[in-house]
Amino acid sequence: MAGMDGVTEETVRRRPATLRDVARAAGVSVATVSKALNDQGRMTAETRARIREVARVLGFRPNGLAQSLLRNRSFTVGLLTNDTYGRFSLPVMAGISEALVDNGVSVFLCHVEDDPRLGQLHVEAMLDKRVDGIIATGKRIDRRLPVDLSQLGIPVIYAFTEPAPGAIAFVSDDAGGARLAVEHLVRLGRRRIAHVTGPASFAVVHTRADACGAALAAAGLPAGAPLIGTWSESWGHAAVETLLAGLEPPDAVFCGNDQIARGVIDGLRERGIRVPGDVAVVGFDNWEIMAGQTRPPLTSVDMNLAALGREAGLTLLSLVDGKPVEPGIRTLPCRLVVRQSCGRPPGG
Amino acid sequence: MAGMDGVTEETVRRRPATLRDVARAAGVSVATVSKALNDQGRMTAETRARIREVARVLGFRPNGLAQSLLRNRSFTVGLLTNDTYGRFSLPVMAGISEALVDNGVSVFLCHVEDDPRLGQLHVEAMLDKRVDGIIATGKRIDRRLPVDLSQLGIPVIYAFTEPAPGAIAFVSDDAGGARLAVEHLVRLGRRRIAHVTGPASFAVVHTRADACGAALAAAGLPAGAPLIGTWSESWGHAAVETLLAGLEPPDAVFCGNDQIARGVIDGLRERGIRVPGDVAVVGFDNWEIMAGQTRPPLTSVDMNLAALGREAGLTLLSLVDGKPVEPGIRTLPCRLVVRQSCGRPPGG
């Protein structure tokens, strides 16, 4: 190709090609290259095509930073999380990332932990880098990140973390998830359904317990007080004793998370009580590595966190594009993932 | 303050302040503001100080993008991972993030999964955004990410994923970790130490098994063939039968991961065999939510993945700064986290 002499594969790959490299290889000025690539200036179609081909061969890519300055958008967003463990935020983040990458936007990851200083540092860095917006996500929906995002002057979306007042937020429909679990057990013919769950300091504990009670009442079934404990297997294991101490032991247990359910199943098995034959068990979270390894594998409520992240990402893009978005909290539906811990309907 | 009339808290916060806002509020030209903030041009120290104070009050921040163009560095790096589940990459990522943020560098998160198209898309986006370098991380050290990073013309570091030939990579010292486990068991007086581990398709299975055998030989103890299976609790549970079928059942089991160890412990308990009284058990990964909930809590090898990520991040910064770094693979030490599954030394 004309003008390509001396440009070897070697020199092409040593560093990103610049406008100057393209100009030298094409035998034209830098200004002409710039005009050719930006569809501006006067030149023949052949010249424009030739310069573009040289740019392509050299692997030239327009400077994204310079383009961002021109368009006053960086096509980046900041993703703040305080969930270093990641079980909840990771699927949310994957959903956000997918929605944004599909739209040509890159994501800055910011682990703020629970450290206000680190939070402030990250937010400053994001503002310095002129992110188009910020998504905040965390490990529980009733706690804020350790940094105030309400006055940054750029769009902010909250996903699976407590929002600032009047902000736009996405959370899972925990009440709906609890209803799915109880209705499934009722449909399978279970009549004495207990609820074993986590600490009262979590808002979702009350949301799920209240919805469980309401679903039982709607089915004309008795609802005892939920057993409140911790989010652990050991609590589930210990709760079995209380469950079996009553006059009428339960024929089903709806658990506040999969770890509790795992402990309940282990505790029942160790007492010779069959799951699902004697007692059906449902978990919450659908944490696959846990739910898939209980014996039998655990039916569980899935909060659809990746879909939640995706919605949050797309909504942030709408805001960045200047589209009107109603403030407020959106609750997105859960789904029930059926495995073997509840058995089949009577006669089914 | 002079020149601050009409600048209310409200207008300050509506959008990021620009050079123009500062100029208007200070009653000087945009060029003068720019010179004052960049320590250039001729003006009195009082004027410079006054303009800076106005900029501070208005919350003006220099445009990071424009500064990046000037300095030919973006102070960003790309972090590629194919680990959507995150158990291994999340601590690595947290370590990388910490090292970089401490040095004023922000991290683009790129979930490439195992999709070459997605990998290419992310890499293109990173190059467009002119990242200073890329760190690749994954879910196992003997598989590559689905994208070639060897010819990008920017520094690349591999952490907990298979590197390109001749690249700089960080992995955990799996052989050293296995030695720690076996030497701990030997020190506690165990003499018949079995090894139950994951699939032969994983390089670490051989690394750990070979080191286990060598450590047993060094202690003058017999080393049977490792029991090869899957990385699951159910495999650990099933392996117990084989372990107990021999003439001399083991008095200790070193397991290839914590899930296998969990299954082994459950299987032993269900047969009335005491852990650690009759059999000591050690895991690998120190996955806290698993290791802390086995009964008894599990002693396990920790790969120090956050420290590994931190080293990888700091090394990338050295490369970006143009410092010489030897190519090759660095193995970083593991540590043993002692809980209750191995008991105390005889008479201890």
Side-chain angles (χ1 to χ4, degrees), chain A residues 269-298:
Chain A
R269 188 181 49 247
E270 287 165 24
R271 285 168 178 81
I273 296 169
R274 294 170 307 141
V275 175
D278 301 317
V279 179
V281 178
V282 181
F284 207 107
D285 291 345
N286 191 35
W287 186 24
E288 299 207 0
I289 202 160
M290 179 65 68
Q293 289 284 319
T294 62
R295 287 173 290 147
L298 182 67

PDB file of all heavy atoms in Angstrom, chain A residues 269-298:
ATOM      1  N   ARG A 269     -31.967 -34.008  59.686  1.00  0.00           N
ATOM      2  CA  ARG A 269     -31.433 -35.313  59.281  1.00  0.00           C
ATOM      3  C   ARG A 269     -30.767 -36.012  60.456  1.00  0.00           C
ATOM      4  O   ARG A 269     -30.912 -37.223  60.642  1.00  0.00           O
ATOM      5  CB  ARG A 269     -30.445 -35.159  58.121  1.00  0.00           C
ATOM      6  CG  ARG A 269     -30.029 -36.521  57.544  1.00  0.00           C
ATOM      7  CD  ARG A 269     -29.035 -36.409  56.395  1.00  0.00           C
ATOM      8  NE  ARG A 269     -27.942 -35.540  56.750  1.00  0.00           N
ATOM      9  CZ  ARG A 269     -27.723 -34.364  56.174  1.00  0.00           C
ATOM     10  NH1 ARG A 269     -28.506 -33.932  55.203  1.00  0.00           N
ATOM     11  NH2 ARG A 269     -26.712 -33.623  56.557  1.00  0.00           N
ATOM     12  N   GLU A 270     -30.019 -35.232  61.249  1.00  0.00           N
ATOM     13  CA  GLU A 270     -29.320 -35.846  62.382  1.00  0.00           C
ATOM     14  C   GLU A 270     -30.289 -36.397  63.432  1.00  0.00           C
ATOM     15  O   GLU A 270     -29.893 -37.213  64.263  1.00  0.00           O
ATOM     16  CB  GLU A 270     -28.339 -34.835  62.996  1.00  0.00           C
ATOM     17  CG  GLU A 270     -27.120 -34.640  62.089  1.00  0.00           C
ATOM     18  CD  GLU A 270     -26.291 -33.415  62.427  1.00  0.00           C
ATOM     19  OE1 GLU A 270     -26.334 -32.953  63.582  1.00  0.00           O
ATOM     20  OE2 GLU A 270     -25.603 -32.914  61.515  1.00  0.00           O
ATOM     21  N   ARG A 271     -31.546 -35.945  63.394  1.00  0.00           N
ATOM     22  CA  ARG A 271     -32.563 -36.499  64.296  1.00  0.00           C
ATOM     23  C   ARG A 271     -33.434 -37.550  63.607  1.00  0.00           C
ATOM     24  O   ARG A 271     -34.476 -37.935  64.125  1.00  0.00           O
ATOM     25  CB  ARG A 271     -33.438 -35.370  64.830  1.00  0.00           C
ATOM     26  CG  ARG A 271     -32.752 -34.515  65.890  1.00  0.00           C
ATOM     27  CD  ARG A 271     -33.540 -33.260  66.171  1.00  0.00           C
ATOM     28  NE  ARG A 271     -32.931 -32.465  67.217  1.00  0.00           N
ATOM     29  CZ  ARG A 271     -31.898 -31.636  67.028  1.00  0.00           C
ATOM     30  NH1 ARG A 271     -31.363 -31.505  65.814  1.00  0.00           N
ATOM     31  NH2 ARG A 271     -31.394 -30.940  68.031  1.00  0.00           N
ATOM     32  N   GLY A 272     -33.028 -37.945  62.395  1.00  0.00           N
ATOM     33  CA  GLY A 272     -33.773 -38.980  61.693  1.00  0.00           C
ATOM     34  C   GLY A 272     -35.066 -38.497  61.057  1.00  0.00           C
ATOM     35  O   GLY A 272     -35.918 -39.290  60.680  1.00  0.00           O
ATOM     36  N   ILE A 273     -35.222 -37.189  60.932  1.00  0.00           N
ATOM     37  CA  ILE A 273     -36.433 -36.633  60.309  1.00  0.00           C
ATOM     38  C   ILE A 273     -36.151 -36.379  58.831  1.00  0.00           C
ATOM     39  O   ILE A 273     -35.158 -35.732  58.493  1.00  0.00           O
ATOM     40  CB  ILE A 273     -36.842 -35.333  61.031  1.00  0.00           C
ATOM     41  CG1 ILE A 273     -37.208 -35.673  62.478  1.00  0.00           C
ATOM     42  CG2 ILE A 273     -37.986 -34.637  60.305  1.00  0.00           C
ATOM     43  CD1 ILE A 273     -37.374 -34.465  63.359  1.00  0.00           C
ATOM     44  N   ARG A 274     -37.015 -36.911  57.959  1.00  0.00           N
ATOM     45  CA  ARG A 274     -36.733 -36.869  56.526  1.00  0.00           C
ATOM     46  C   ARG A 274     -37.136 -35.529  55.904  1.00  0.00           C
ATOM     47  O   ARG A 274     -38.209 -34.992  56.199  1.00  0.00           O
ATOM     48  CB  ARG A 274     -37.477 -37.997  55.818  1.00  0.00           C
ATOM     49  CG  ARG A 274     -36.999 -39.412  56.182  1.00  0.00           C
ATOM     50  CD  ARG A 274     -37.960 -40.446  55.630  1.00  0.00           C
ATOM     51  NE  ARG A 274     -39.340 -40.143  56.055  1.00  0.00           N
ATOM     52  CZ  ARG A 274     -40.422 -40.284  55.301  1.00  0.00           C
ATOM     53  NH1 ARG A 274     -40.308 -40.740  54.064  1.00  0.00           N
ATOM     54  NH2 ARG A 274     -41.622 -39.984  55.760  1.00  0.00           N
ATOM     55  N   VAL A 275     -36.246 -35.015  55.023  1.00  0.00           N
ATOM     56  CA  VAL A 275     -36.539 -33.838  54.197  1.00  0.00           C
ATOM     57  C   VAL A 275     -36.498 -34.305  52.748  1.00  0.00           C
ATOM     58  O   VAL A 275     -35.491 -34.877  52.329  1.00  0.00           O
ATOM     59  CB  VAL A 275     -35.477 -32.730  54.427  1.00  0.00           C
ATOM     60  CG1 VAL A 275     -35.711 -31.558  53.475  1.00  0.00           C
ATOM     61  CG2 VAL A 275     -35.481 -32.256  55.882  1.00  0.00           C
ATOM     62  N   PRO A 276     -37.578 -34.160  51.973  1.00  0.00           N
ATOM     63  CA  PRO A 276     -38.825 -33.459  52.278  1.00  0.00           C
ATOM     64  C   PRO A 276     -39.927 -34.344  52.837  1.00  0.00           C
ATOM     65  O   PRO A 276     -40.999 -33.813  53.120  1.00  0.00           O
ATOM     66  CB  PRO A 276     -39.239 -32.938  50.897  1.00  0.00           C
ATOM     67  CG  PRO A 276     -38.763 -33.993  49.956  1.00  0.00           C
ATOM     68  CD  PRO A 276     -37.491 -34.535  50.557  1.00  0.00           C
ATOM     69  N   GLY A 277     -39.689 -35.655  52.994  1.00  0.00           N
ATOM     70  CA  GLY A 277     -40.764 -36.565  53.406  1.00  0.00           C
ATOM     71  C   GLY A 277     -41.552 -36.056  54.606  1.00  0.00           C
ATOM     72  O   GLY A 277     -42.768 -35.877  54.548  1.00  0.00           O
ATOM     73  N   ASP A 278     -40.851 -35.778  55.726  1.00  0.00           N
ATOM     74  CA  ASP A 278     -41.539 -35.321  56.937  1.00  0.00           C
ATOM     75  C   ASP A 278     -41.658 -33.798  56.980  1.00  0.00           C
ATOM     76  O   ASP A 278     -42.679 -33.255  57.398  1.00  0.00           O
ATOM     77  CB  ASP A 278     -40.772 -35.798  58.182  1.00  0.00           C
ATOM     78  CG  ASP A 278     -40.638 -37.320  58.224  1.00  0.00           C
ATOM     79  OD1 ASP A 278     -41.651 -38.002  57.914  1.00  0.00           O
ATOM     80  OD2 ASP A 278     -39.543 -37.811  58.519  1.00  0.00           O
ATOM     81  N   VAL A 279     -40.597 -33.126  56.596  1.00  0.00           N
ATOM     82  CA  VAL A 279     -40.572 -31.652  56.662  1.00  0.00           C
ATOM     83  C   VAL A 279     -40.016 -31.098  55.347  1.00  0.00           C
ATOM     84  O   VAL A 279     -38.951 -31.540  54.887  1.00  0.00           O
ATOM     85  CB  VAL A 279     -39.692 -31.168  57.845  1.00  0.00           C
ATOM     86  CG1 VAL A 279     -39.643 -29.636  57.884  1.00  0.00           C
ATOM     87  CG2 VAL A 279     -40.208 -31.719  59.170  1.00  0.00           C
ATOM     88  N   ALA A 280     -40.740 -30.155  54.743  1.00  0.00           N
ATOM     89  CA  ALA A 280     -40.242 -29.454  53.552  1.00  0.00           C
ATOM     90  C   ALA A 280     -39.470 -28.217  54.003  1.00  0.00           C
ATOM     91  O   ALA A 280     -39.798 -27.612  55.025  1.00  0.00           O
ATOM     92  CB  ALA A 280     -41.405 -29.044  52.657  1.00  0.00           C
ATOM     93  N   VAL A 281     -38.414 -27.836  53.260  1.00  0.00           N
ATOM     94  CA  VAL A 281     -37.610 -26.670  53.630  1.00  0.00           C
ATOM     95  C   VAL A 281     -37.400 -25.777  52.401  1.00  0.00           C
ATOM     96  O   VAL A 281     -37.090 -26.269  51.316  1.00  0.00           O
ATOM     97  CB  VAL A 281     -36.240 -27.095  54.216  1.00  0.00           C
ATOM     98  CG1 VAL A 281     -35.395 -25.872  54.558  1.00  0.00           C
ATOM     99  CG2 VAL A 281     -36.427 -27.975  55.448  1.00  0.00           C
ATOM    100  N   VAL A 282     -37.599 -24.469  52.600  1.00  0.00           N
ATOM    101  CA  VAL A 282     -37.308 -23.484  51.547  1.00  0.00           C
ATOM    102  C   VAL A 282     -36.288 -22.487  52.092  1.00  0.00           C
ATOM    103  O   VAL A 282     -36.392 -22.067  53.245  1.00  0.00           O
ATOM    104  CB  VAL A 282     -38.575 -22.711  51.113  1.00  0.00           C
ATOM    105  CG1 VAL A 282     -38.239 -21.703  50.001  1.00  0.00           C
ATOM    106  CG2 VAL A 282     -39.663 -23.657  50.633  1.00  0.00           C
ATOM    107  N   GLY A 283     -35.319 -22.115  51.261  1.00  0.00           N
ATOM    108  CA  GLY A 283     -34.337 -21.099  51.636  1.00  0.00           C
ATOM    109  C   GLY A 283     -34.610 -19.765  50.955  1.00  0.00           C
ATOM    110  O   GLY A 283     -35.632 -19.584  50.287  1.00  0.00           O
ATOM    111  N   PHE A 284     -33.693 -18.831  51.149  1.00  0.00           N
ATOM    112  CA  PHE A 284     -33.809 -17.506  50.531  1.00  0.00           C
ATOM    113  C   PHE A 284     -32.409 -17.087  50.116  1.00  0.00           C
ATOM    114  O   PHE A 284     -31.465 -17.234  50.910  1.00  0.00           O
ATOM    115  CB  PHE A 284     -34.378 -16.496  51.544  1.00  0.00           C
ATOM    116  CG  PHE A 284     -35.125 -15.335  50.923  1.00  0.00           C
ATOM    117  CD1 PHE A 284     -36.509 -15.249  50.989  1.00  0.00           C
ATOM    118  CD2 PHE A 284     -34.435 -14.321  50.261  1.00  0.00           C
ATOM    119  CE1 PHE A 284     -37.207 -14.184  50.429  1.00  0.00           C
ATOM    120  CE2 PHE A 284     -35.129 -13.242  49.686  1.00  0.00           C
ATOM    121  CZ  PHE A 284     -36.514 -13.179  49.779  1.00  0.00           C
ATOM    122  N   ASP A 285     -32.253 -16.592  48.921  1.00  0.00           N
ATOM    123  CA  ASP A 285     -31.023 -16.066  48.296  1.00  0.00           C
ATOM    124  C   ASP A 285     -30.637 -16.871  47.062  1.00  0.00           C
ATOM    125  O   ASP A 285     -29.965 -16.359  46.178  1.00  0.00           O
ATOM    126  CB  ASP A 285     -29.780 -16.060  49.219  1.00  0.00           C
ATOM    127  CG  ASP A 285     -29.858 -15.062  50.352  1.00  0.00           C
ATOM    128  OD1 ASP A 285     -30.739 -14.175  50.277  1.00  0.00           O
ATOM    129  OD2 ASP A 285     -29.082 -15.175  51.306  1.00  0.00           O
ATOM    130  N   ASN A 286     -31.025 -18.168  47.044  1.00  0.00           N
ATOM    131  CA  ASN A 286     -30.574 -19.050  45.976  1.00  0.00           C
ATOM    132  C   ASN A 286     -29.077 -18.903  45.746  1.00  0.00           C
ATOM    133  O   ASN A 286     -28.604 -18.658  44.636  1.00  0.00           O
ATOM    134  CB  ASN A 286     -31.343 -18.809  44.674  1.00  0.00           C
ATOM    135  CG  ASN A 286     -31.064 -19.893  43.649  1.00  0.00           C
ATOM    136  OD1 ASN A 286     -30.880 -21.061  43.996  1.00  0.00           O
ATOM    137  ND2 ASN A 286     -31.003 -19.510  42.384  1.00  0.00           N
ATOM    138  N   TRP A 287     -28.320 -19.043  46.819  1.00  0.00           N
ATOM    139  CA  TRP A 287     -26.863 -19.017  46.735  1.00  0.00           C
ATOM    140  C   TRP A 287     -26.444 -20.394  46.252  1.00  0.00           C
ATOM    141  O   TRP A 287     -26.395 -21.345  47.012  1.00  0.00           O
ATOM    142  CB  TRP A 287     -26.306 -18.715  48.125  1.00  0.00           C
ATOM    143  CG  TRP A 287     -24.842 -18.510  48.160  1.00  0.00           C
ATOM    144  CD1 TRP A 287     -24.027 -18.110  47.127  1.00  0.00           C
ATOM    145  CD2 TRP A 287     -23.996 -18.680  49.293  1.00  0.00           C
ATOM    146  NE1 TRP A 287     -22.740 -18.014  47.560  1.00  0.00           N
ATOM    147  CE2 TRP A 287     -22.680 -18.361  48.874  1.00  0.00           C
ATOM    148  CE3 TRP A 287     -24.207 -19.064  50.604  1.00  0.00           C
ATOM    149  CZ2 TRP A 287     -21.592 -18.413  49.730  1.00  0.00           C
ATOM    150  CZ3 TRP A 287     -23.114 -19.114  51.467  1.00  0.00           C
ATOM    151  CH2 TRP A 287     -21.829 -18.789  51.034  1.00  0.00           C
ATOM    152  N   GLU A 288     -26.120 -20.486  44.965  1.00  0.00           N
ATOM    153  CA  GLU A 288     -26.091 -21.807  44.314  1.00  0.00           C
ATOM    154  C   GLU A 288     -25.112 -22.767  44.956  1.00  0.00           C
ATOM    155  O   GLU A 288     -25.398 -23.959  45.093  1.00  0.00           O
ATOM    156  CB  GLU A 288     -25.812 -21.641  42.827  1.00  0.00           C
ATOM    157  CG  GLU A 288     -26.908 -20.807  42.171  1.00  0.00           C
ATOM    158  CD  GLU A 288     -27.110 -21.100  40.696  1.00  0.00           C
ATOM    159  OE1 GLU A 288     -26.402 -21.959  40.154  1.00  0.00           O
ATOM    160  OE2 GLU A 288     -27.981 -20.447  40.102  1.00  0.00           O
ATOM    161  N   ILE A 289     -23.946 -22.284  45.345  1.00  0.00           N
ATOM    162  CA  ILE A 289     -22.937 -23.195  45.892  1.00  0.00           C
ATOM    163  C   ILE A 289     -23.413 -23.792  47.216  1.00  0.00           C
ATOM    164  O   ILE A 289     -22.990 -24.882  47.606  1.00  0.00           O
ATOM    165  CB  ILE A 289     -21.592 -22.464  46.028  1.00  0.00           C
ATOM    166  CG1 ILE A 289     -20.456 -23.485  46.050  1.00  0.00           C
ATOM    167  CG2 ILE A 289     -21.563 -21.553  47.234  1.00  0.00           C
ATOM    168  CD1 ILE A 289     -19.118 -22.880  45.710  1.00  0.00           C
ATOM    169  N   MET A 290     -24.303 -23.078  47.897  1.00  0.00           N
ATOM    170  CA  MET A 290     -24.867 -23.587  49.145  1.00  0.00           C
ATOM    171  C   MET A 290     -26.115 -24.416  48.836  1.00  0.00           C
ATOM    172  O   MET A 290     -26.237 -25.565  49.263  1.00  0.00           O
ATOM    173  CB  MET A 290     -25.208 -22.405  50.060  1.00  0.00           C
ATOM    174  CG  MET A 290     -25.835 -22.749  51.386  1.00  0.00           C
ATOM    175  SD  MET A 290     -24.775 -23.682  52.524  1.00  0.00           S
ATOM    176  CE  MET A 290     -23.511 -22.461  52.921  1.00  0.00           C
ATOM    177  N   ALA A 291     -27.048 -23.848  48.077  1.00  0.00           N
ATOM    178  CA  ALA A 291     -28.329 -24.505  47.824  1.00  0.00           C
ATOM    179  C   ALA A 291     -28.151 -25.825  47.082  1.00  0.00           C
ATOM    180  O   ALA A 291     -28.873 -26.794  47.323  1.00  0.00           O
ATOM    181  CB  ALA A 291     -29.246 -23.571  47.030  1.00  0.00           C
ATOM    182  N   GLY A 292     -27.157 -25.878  46.184  1.00  0.00           N
ATOM    183  CA  GLY A 292     -26.946 -27.087  45.401  1.00  0.00           C
ATOM    184  C   GLY A 292     -26.313 -28.210  46.207  1.00  0.00           C
ATOM    185  O   GLY A 292     -26.362 -29.375  45.810  1.00  0.00           O
ATOM    186  N   GLN A 293     -25.683 -27.880  47.349  1.00  0.00           N
ATOM    187  CA  GLN A 293     -24.952 -28.894  48.112  1.00  0.00           C
ATOM    188  C   GLN A 293     -25.669 -29.335  49.389  1.00  0.00           C
ATOM    189  O   GLN A 293     -25.146 -30.151  50.139  1.00  0.00           O
ATOM    190  CB  GLN A 293     -23.546 -28.402  48.446  1.00  0.00           C
ATOM    191  CG  GLN A 293     -22.615 -28.325  47.239  1.00  0.00           C
ATOM    192  CD  GLN A 293     -22.111 -29.693  46.792  1.00  0.00           C
ATOM    193  OE1 GLN A 293     -21.773 -30.546  47.597  1.00  0.00           O
ATOM    194  NE2 GLN A 293     -22.104 -29.925  45.483  1.00  0.00           N
ATOM    195  N   THR A 294     -26.847 -28.759  49.670  1.00  0.00           N
ATOM    196  CA  THR A 294     -27.584 -29.322  50.798  1.00  0.00           C
ATOM    197  C   THR A 294     -28.089 -30.702  50.369  1.00  0.00           C
ATOM    198  O   THR A 294     -28.153 -31.005  49.172  1.00  0.00           O
ATOM    199  CB  THR A 294     -28.783 -28.444  51.218  1.00  0.00           C
ATOM    200  OG1 THR A 294     -29.698 -28.361  50.132  1.00  0.00           O
ATOM    201  CG2 THR A 294     -28.350 -27.030  51.587  1.00  0.00           C
ATOM    202  N   ARG A 295     -28.397 -31.534  51.351  1.00  0.00           N
ATOM    203  CA  ARG A 295     -28.908 -32.871  51.038  1.00  0.00           C
ATOM    204  C   ARG A 295     -30.296 -32.997  51.612  1.00  0.00           C
ATOM    205  O   ARG A 295     -30.436 -33.096  52.828  1.00  0.00           O
ATOM    206  CB  ARG A 295     -27.968 -33.934  51.617  1.00  0.00           C
ATOM    207  CG  ARG A 295     -26.673 -34.033  50.828  1.00  0.00           C
ATOM    208  CD  ARG A 295     -25.673 -34.952  51.499  1.00  0.00           C
ATOM    209  NE  ARG A 295     -25.160 -34.349  52.717  1.00  0.00           N
ATOM    210  CZ  ARG A 295     -24.807 -35.049  53.806  1.00  0.00           C
ATOM    211  NH1 ARG A 295     -24.936 -36.342  53.843  1.00  0.00           N
ATOM    212  NH2 ARG A 295     -24.332 -34.439  54.868  1.00  0.00           N
ATOM    213  N   PRO A 296     -31.375 -32.961  50.849  1.00  0.00           N
ATOM    214  CA  PRO A 296     -31.389 -32.815  49.385  1.00  0.00           C
ATOM    215  C   PRO A 296     -31.167 -31.358  48.966  1.00  0.00           C
ATOM    216  O   PRO A 296     -31.300 -30.459  49.792  1.00  0.00           O
ATOM    217  CB  PRO A 296     -32.829 -33.237  49.029  1.00  0.00           C
ATOM    218  CG  PRO A 296     -33.634 -32.823  50.217  1.00  0.00           C
ATOM    219  CD  PRO A 296     -32.736 -33.073  51.403  1.00  0.00           C
ATOM    220  N   PRO A 297     -30.865 -31.144  47.660  1.00  0.00           N
ATOM    221  CA  PRO A 297     -30.679 -29.769  47.164  1.00  0.00           C
ATOM    222  C   PRO A 297     -31.889 -28.890  47.481  1.00  0.00           C
ATOM    223  O   PRO A 297     -33.030 -29.349  47.472  1.00  0.00           O
ATOM    224  CB  PRO A 297     -30.499 -29.970  45.659  1.00  0.00           C
ATOM    225  CG  PRO A 297     -29.897 -31.338  45.550  1.00  0.00           C
ATOM    226  CD  PRO A 297     -30.571 -32.147  46.628  1.00  0.00           C
ATOM    227  N   LEU A 298     -31.608 -27.614  47.757  1.00  0.00           N
ATOM    228  CA  LEU A 298     -32.548 -26.708  48.413  1.00  0.00           C
ATOM    229  C   LEU A 298     -33.375 -25.876  47.428  1.00  0.00           C
ATOM    230  O   LEU A 298     -32.825 -25.211  46.547  1.00  0.00           O
ATOM    231  CB  LEU A 298     -31.740 -25.759  49.305  1.00  0.00           C
ATOM    232  CG  LEU A 298     -32.484 -24.747  50.148  1.00  0.00           C
ATOM    233  CD1 LEU A 298     -33.305 -25.450  51.224  1.00  0.00           C
ATOM    234  CD2 LEU A 298     -31.489 -23.769  50.776  1.00  0.00           C
TER     235      LEU A 298
END
